[in-house]
Amino acid sequence: MSSTTASRPAVPKAGGPGSAPRLRPTRGRRTPGRPRRSVLLTLVTGVVLLYSLVPLLWLVISATKTQAGLARSFGLWFDGDFALWENISRTFTYHDGVFVRWLLNTLLYVVAGAGGATFLAVLGGYALAKFDFPGKRAVFAVVIGAVAVPGTALAVPTFLMFSKMGLTDTPWAVIIPSLISPFGLYLMWVFATEAIPTELMEAARIDGASELRTFFQVALPLLAPGTVTVLLFTMVATWNNYFLPLIMLKDPDWYPLTLGLDSWNKQAATAGGEAVFNLVLTGSLLTVVPLIAAFLLLQKYWQSGLSAGSVKE
Amino acid sequence: MTTLLPAAAAGRRPDEPRVRRERRSWTGWGFIGPFVLVFALVFLAPLAYSVHLSLFRTQLIGGTRFVGIENYQQALQDSRFWDGVARVGLFLAVQVPIMLGIALLVALALDSGRLYGKHFFRISIFLPYAVPAVVASLMWGFMYGTRFGLVGDINDAFGAGLPDPLSSDLVLASIGNIVTWEFVGYNMLIFYSALRVVPHSLYEAAEIDGAGQWRVISAIKLPAIRGALVIATIFSIIGSFQLFNEPAILQKLAPNAITTDYTPNLYTYSLSFSGQQHNYSATVAIVMGVITMVVAYVVQLRGMRKGA
């Protein structure tokens, strides 16, 4: 880490208040505020990079192995039998293609749950950032306080409540609780505070725009990068959800991918159950890929949101 | 953006923000209303129902009867519960500082602009966050395990004597490793985003005053992102107290090390869904909720007060 000081451009110490310091050396044309790159810092951070990527690499490699190959080969290298395509087709067809059903369920939960959660968070964050209304502090305190309530404190009573309403073992039991993202609300609140100049809203109102029109035509476009970010996070949360469906769903036909993979994994431990670890791992890879793809695709927008935020001064 | 504003038409109004703030109206409710409505259904109603449940007890003989605070008295003396609390307490005392420390260092490294391939770093380190906790736990469980495990492979290949990560001595640390792997990138992103909005003119001013990198970090960057640091800490504490997915999945691989009361969340789950003790389960969950909120609140107070 000492490289940060070693490679730092020699900045002359400012003398008295009257002296005119050189901001940075003139050699090595660098844009202002962009320091020289450091090999050592890159290597040190590279350790964290390896930590993050090696398990994913292990997953990709493992998905190419047969059940027997998994046991006999080194984890971070390929086995003689390259079985990726066979594994994928078996994952999709195993147990009458239940994996496809789980994938579709997950998509449903993500579109309805994450989409709805993002919409509610954008509306609410906009309200918290740009309006002063009676009970505003109470709303915020209750929402933030509720985040600290353990999942099970809610899960058991929610399950009993939903069970009385006849909602358990239906998609609604997973979708409705997914609609609330306190963190999304917080993120949108912070973002809207920064991104929407109040003067712009006032100008729209002076021009006679209604509140709804001001929101949709003035605020929403400015909120786009924040919205994408919240959508990304709620998507991840819904796609990855395990605890809620575990409690709410008995019928494997409504399982999301997470619960389905878990059931395949447990199957090996049950009497007479077939061990399908190669399918568990291939299914895991197939579960991860769409989310990583979505993240990489959305990254562009999200990045523009970040730089837009950092330009303002 | 500022050039578009009708500032000239409106004239100079130095006290403008204060004037605007005084104008309270119910308009905001039109926008926050839908959130609050659903929130009441999926948060407040179950919470109230939970408190209601905790005051009753169902017995084989006599049915459900009101017992007042009896369930709470039982919970306060329940060593299975408190062992779990102590376990997640130890977990958060070790895992959260390690995870947030790494995340902060990476965020500062990214923000310094001194990394080669910064874009690649940022995406790659964030990627594990996109992996479901179930998949992460399955993956790491396989890697830890003797069947296809990397630990076994390394021992075979190099004659190393790595201990079994799923033994009861090490399984908590192994869970900590999974959670760290999942959330380092996420927290790094939160810190990095907060760092990005610090005005660069501050750094230039500091540079003119002769401040070095570490001074800029300690005097400008860290104070500027204190809000993000506090929020990330609180969310991590809450996450630790709610630990469920990782131990629940690993339980299949290490049934002796991870008991059904390993964490308070596992305990409430098994009370409710294996033991049918809905009332006592609700009580335990409420006590845990109160502990979590108290700890989170104390951290928030301390975090906001420091140097403010």
Side-chain angles (χ1 to χ4, degrees), chain A residues 22-96:
Chain A
R22 271 168 63 213
L23 286 183
R24 48 184 62 80
T26 43
R27 68 187 161 79
R29 288 175 168 269
R30 287 179 297 108
T31 41
R34 187 163 298 175
R36 190 177 307 165
R37 303 196 191 287
S38 156
V39 174
L40 187 60
L41 187 63
T42 306
L43 287 177
V44 170
T45 319
V47 175
V48 185
L49 182 84
L50 284 179
Y51 175 60
S52 300
L53 289 186
V54 166
L56 291 173
L57 185 70
W58 177 89
L59 180 64
V60 172
I61 291 172
S62 296
T64 68
K65 295 175 183 174
T66 59
Q67 176 80 12
L70 277 170
R72 68 170 172 245
S73 60
F74 185 73
L76 284 173
W77 197 243
F78 297 93
D79 183 53
D81 295 339
F82 186 86
L84 177 63
W85 311 121
E86 192 189 318
N87 280 342
I88 290 177
S89 80
R90 267 200 76 203
T91 304
F92 279 122
T93 53
Y94 188 67
H95 277 186
D96 303 323

Side-chain angles (χ1 to χ4, degrees), chain B residues 50-130:
Chain B
S50 200
V51 173
H52 172 81
L53 283 174
S54 72
L55 301 175
F56 290 83
R57 190 175 286 179
T58 304
Q59 269 142 346
L60 287 175
I61 305 153
T64 305
R65 64 184 177 93
F66 181 80
V67 294
I69 60 163
E70 253 178 58
N71 286 328
Y72 289 92
Q73 286 169 333
Q74 186 187 342
L76 291 178
Q77 293 163 8
D78 187 343
S79 63
R80 295 182 70 190
F81 169 63
W82 289 107
D83 285 353
V85 175
R87 203 170 282 118
V88 290
L90 174 67
F91 179 89
L92 91 81
V94 177
Q95 188 266 337
V96 171
I98 291 175
M99 173 182 69
L100 294 184
I102 298 173
L104 182 61
L105 287 179
V106 175
L108 286 170
L110 285 172
D111 187 63
S112 73
R114 287 164 195 273
L115 286 183
Y116 290 94
K118 168 178 151 182
H119 192 70
F120 178 68
F121 270 99
R122 194 177 59 196
I123 293 182
S124 305
I125 295 174
F126 179 71
L127 280 188
Y129 178 70

Side-chain angles (χ1 to χ4, degrees), chain B residues 202-203 206-207 211-223:
Chain B
L202 282 180
Y203 304 150
E207 213 174 321
Q213 278 292 313
W214 291 113
R215 186 98 181 90
V216 169
I217 288 173
S218 66
I220 302 177
K221 294 192 177 184
L222 292 185

Side-chain angles (χ1 to χ4, degrees), chain B residues 117-182:
Chain B
K118 168 178 151 182
H119 192 70
F120 178 68
F121 270 99
R122 194 177 59 196
I123 293 182
S124 305
I125 295 174
F126 179 71
L127 280 188
Y129 178 70
V131 176
V134 171
V135 172
S137 307
L138 287 173
M139 278 168 62
W140 279 99
F142 281 127
M143 285 193 273
Y144 288 150
T146 44
R147 263 180 310 214
F148 330 120
L150 275 179
V151 173
D153 286 346
I154 290 167
N155 282 346
D156 291 347
F158 304 106
L162 295 178
D164 176 12
L166 293 171
S167 66
S168 43
D169 290 340
L170 283 179
V171 77
L172 192 63
S174 302
I175 294 170
N177 174 53
I178 300 177
V179 176
T180 304
W181 182 77
E182 288 175 289

Side-chain angles (χ1 to χ4, degrees), chain A residues 6 21 33 44 73 104-105 109-110 113 117 127 137 145 160 200 245 249 281 286 292 312:
Chain A
V44 170
S73 60
L104 293 175
N105 290 342
Y109 302 150
V110 165
R137 288 175 65 89
L160 295 172
L200 210 62
L249 305 174
L281 288 168
L286 293 172
I292 287 181
K312 67 123 195 121

Side-chain angles (χ1 to χ4, degrees), chain A residues 1 4-5 7-8 11 13-14 21 23-24 35-39 41-42 45-46 48-49 51-53 55-56 58-59 70-71 73-76 120 123-124 126-128 131-134 139 142-143 145-154 156-161 164 176-177 179-180 183 185-186 197-200 202-203 211 215 222 233 236 239-240 242-243 246-247 258 261-262 265-266 277 280-281 284 287-288 291-292 295-296 299 302-303 306 309-310 313, chain B residues 1 5-6 13 16 20-21 23-29 31-32 34-36 38-39 41-47 49-50 53 102 105-106 109 112-116 119-135 138-140 142-143 147-148 150 153-154 177 180-181 184 186 189-190 192-193 196-197 199-201 204 207-210 212-214 231 235 238 242 244-245 248-249 252 265 268-269 272-273 278 281 285-286 288-289 292-293:
Chain A
M1 211 59 91
T4 50
T5 37
S7 63
R8 195 181 73 228
V11 179
K13 291 263 187 286
L23 286 183
R24 48 184 62 80
R36 190 177 307 165
R37 303 196 191 287
S38 156
V39 174
L41 187 63
T42 306
T45 319
V48 185
L49 182 84
Y51 175 60
S52 300
L53 289 186
L56 291 173
W58 177 89
L59 180 64
L70 277 170
S73 60
F74 185 73
L76 284 173
L120 293 180
L123 283 177
Y126 174 68
L128 285 174
F131 292 94
D132 197 9
F133 51 86
V139 167
V142 169
V143 169
V147 181
V149 179
T152 33
L154 291 171
V156 172
T158 309
F159 167 78
L160 295 172
M161 253 175 63
K164 277 181 187 160
I176 294 174
L179 288 175
I180 290 299
F183 184 62
L185 182 79
Y186 170 78
T198 309
E199 293 83 353
L200 210 62
E202 306 239 302
E211 286 300 337
F215 172 72
L222 291 171
F233 285 116
V236 171
W239 188 278
N240 296 356
Y242 169 72
F243 188 61
L246 174 72
I247 283 176
T258 48
L261 287 172
D262 187 36
N265 187 50
K266 281 178 185 160
F277 294 122
V280 172
L281 288 168
S284 295
T287 302
V288 169
L291 214 52
I292 287 181
F295 171 70
L296 293 177
Q299 162 77 8
W302 161 75
Q303 200 186 353
L306 268 187
S310 61
E313 269 186 37
Chain B
M1 205 64 80
L5 301 177
R13 288 184 296 175
E16 194 181 36
R20 193 178 297 125
R21 209 173 298 135
R23 215 176 53 201
R24 309 184 90 200
S25 80
W26 291 87
T27 320
W29 274 102
F31 291 97
I32 195 126
F35 184 96
V36 171
V38 183
F39 182 82
L41 177 68
V42 301
F43 264 91
L44 300 183
L47 208 59
Y49 190 44
S50 200
L53 283 174
I102 298 173
L105 287 179
V106 175
S112 73
R114 287 164 195 273
L115 286 183
Y116 290 94
H119 192 70
F120 178 68
F121 270 99
R122 194 177 59 196
I123 293 182
S124 305
I125 295 174
F126 179 71
L127 280 188
Y129 178 70
V131 176
V134 171
V135 172
L138 287 173
M139 278 168 62
W140 279 99
F142 281 127
M143 285 193 273
R147 263 180 310 214
F148 330 120
L150 275 179
D153 286 346
I154 290 167
N177 174 53
T180 304
W181 182 77
V184 151
Y186 171 79
L189 201 72
I190 302 290
Y192 178 72
S193 309
R196 293 300 291 166
V197 294
H200 276 244
S201 54
E204 274 154 33
E207 213 174 321
I208 291 170
D209 290 346
Q213 278 292 313
W214 291 113
I231 287 282
F235 276 96
I238 294 167
Q242 294 196 22
F244 179 85
N245 291 357
I249 303 280
K252 296 290 163 302
N265 240 6
T268 50
Y269 175 78
S272 196
F273 289 91
H278 294 308
S281 167
I286 288 171
M288 198 56 215
T292 309
M293 278 191 278

